[in-house]
């Protein structure tokens, strides 16, 4: 088993391979991470691992009763993640490669990264200025019937998007959508309006065909629900939100 140790960036979202991740970084632990990444040469990858926080929130245990208003805010690389940080994170994440890291005058950073490969989280180290993790890269197996499933998912996605955005809103045309099964599986997983647990299940699917089959079921179910709702606001399906950290 080949492993790698990388900086760890927990988020309240799921990153998929091939998807762009814009970040607005102001917490000191993540600023320290970016300063370290900037030490890499221009030709070297500036990689860090992204994992989703369980339940979409920081999961440190809380004591009963009223909060202590005199207590100092928790600090350090594992702040907000409890005594054993690995328990706060989903175990499958994605490596991100930072194409650009720009430091502002106030010391915060604007970062543009792209998801590359899936990884399994093996351990978390909180002894440094930011979290690091031991990671195992996961293979990307096609599975049975991935090509045919990708075609079905694309048709279902177009129908889903039209229902969600409304007939008068611009929708993606066939020429704007990929046809490679792996790319289809991750694009649809990222673009569909799903909660973090659903997106996490798609990320950690054992193969591409399994992911596509699950997406087909989800898209059909979501489209059926939308069809029976009177109206929904238009949603930009391909725009990833900036994460303030």
């Amino acid at each position: 088993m080949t492993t790698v140790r990388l900086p760890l960036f927990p988020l309240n979202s799921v990153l998929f391979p091939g998807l762009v991740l814009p970040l607005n970084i102001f917490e000191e632990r993540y600023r320290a991470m970016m300063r370290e990444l900037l030490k890499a040469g221009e030709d070297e990858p500036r990689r860090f691992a992204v994992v989703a926080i369980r339940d979409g929130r920081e999961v440190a245990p809380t004591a009963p009763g009223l909060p202590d208003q005199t207590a100092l805010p928790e600090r350090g690389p594992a702040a907000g993640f409890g005594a054993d940080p690995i328990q706060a994170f989903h175990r499958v994440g994605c490596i991100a490669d930072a194409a650009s890291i720009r430091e502002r005058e106030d010391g915060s950073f604007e970062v543009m990264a792209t998801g590359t490969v899936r990884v399994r989280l093996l351990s978390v180290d909180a002894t440094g200025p930011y979290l690091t993790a031991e990671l195992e890269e996961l293979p990307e197996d096609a599975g049975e019937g991935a090509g045919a499933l990708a075609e079905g998912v694309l048709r279902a996605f177009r129908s889903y998007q039209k229902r969600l955005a409304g007939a008068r809103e611009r929708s993606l045309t066939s020429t704007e959508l990929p046809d490679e099964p792996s790319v289809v599986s991750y694009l649809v997983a990222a673009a569909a309006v799903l909660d973090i647990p659903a997106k996490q299940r798609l990320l950690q699917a054992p193969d591409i065909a399994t992911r596509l089959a699950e997406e087909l079921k989800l898209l059909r179910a979501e489209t059926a629900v939308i069809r029976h709702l009177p109206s929904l606001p238009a949603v930009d399906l391909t725009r990833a939100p900036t994460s303030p950290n």
Side-chain angles (χ1 to χ4, degrees):
M1 180 178 66
T2 302
T3 63
V4 61
R5 181 169 291 277
L6 291 174
L8 186 66
F9 204 121
L11 285 177
N12 287 312
S13 60
V14 178
L15 177 63
F16 294 93
L19 274 297
V20 174
L21 175 67
L23 294 169
N24 178 26
I25 295 173
F26 58 86
E27 282 191 49
E28 177 52 36
R29 50 184 164 178
Y30 304 124
R31 289 161 60 171
M33 182 189 299
M34 293 304 130
R35 289 193 294 267
E36 186 64 28
L37 289 177
L38 281 173
K39 294 179 182 179
E42 290 295 328
D43 297 330
E44 297 179 42
R46 292 166 174 168
R47 302 193 305 163
F48 57 96
V50 172
V51 292
I53 302 169
R54 289 188 181 276
D55 300 325
R57 59 185 175 84
E58 296 190 346
V59 291
T62 56
L66 294 174
D68 182 0
Q69 301 296 335
T70 64
L72 295 175
E74 187 179 0
R75 298 185 183 277
F81 300 127
D84 187 10
I86 195 171
Q87 303 303 325
F89 310 136
H90 287 283
R91 299 302 174 89
V92 174
C94 184
I95 291 179
D97 187 358
S100 66
I101 303 175
R102 186 178 75 85
E103 186 172 6
R104 302 188 187 98
E105 291 184 0
D106 63 0
S108 64
F109 288 87
E110 287 182 4
V111 179
M112 190 65 69
T114 302
T116 58
V117 297
R118 298 183 306 152
V119 285
R120 187 183 309 281
L121 184 61
L122 301 177
S123 64
V124 174
D125 183 356
T127 59
Y130 50 82
L131 295 176
T132 59
E134 192 76 17
L135 306 153
E136 172 193 9
E137 184 174 331
L138 295 177
E140 193 66 82
D141 299 324
E144 187 175 350
L149 281 165
E151 293 177 5
V153 167
L154 285 176
R155 288 193 297 270
F157 180 70
R158 291 188 187 100
S159 176
Y160 165 79
Q161 187 204 17
K162 288 177 182 177
R163 288 284 181 181
L164 188 64
R168 295 184 180 179
E169 296 292 332
R170 178 181 180 275
S171 60
L172 295 175
T173 66
S174 59
T175 58
E176 293 174 310
L177 291 173
D179 55 11
E180 201 284 316
S182 176
V183 177
V184 171
S185 76
Y186 287 131
L187 173 63
V188 171
V193 182
L194 303 169
D195 61 17
I196 289 177
K199 286 181 178 284
Q200 184 66 36
R201 288 193 299 272
L202 294 175
L203 178 68
Q204 59 194 42
D207 53 56
I208 297 167
T210 301
R211 184 178 304 112
L212 289 166
E214 180 65 20
E215 287 170 349
L216 194 56
K217 290 191 295 183
L218 286 169
L219 289 170
R220 287 172 174 170
E222 291 295 312
T223 302
V225 169
I226 296 169
R227 186 181 298 120
H228 291 90
L229 295 177
S231 64
L232 281 176
V235 175
D236 185 346
L237 295 180
T238 58
R239 179 178 167 187
T242 299
S243 175
N245 285 285

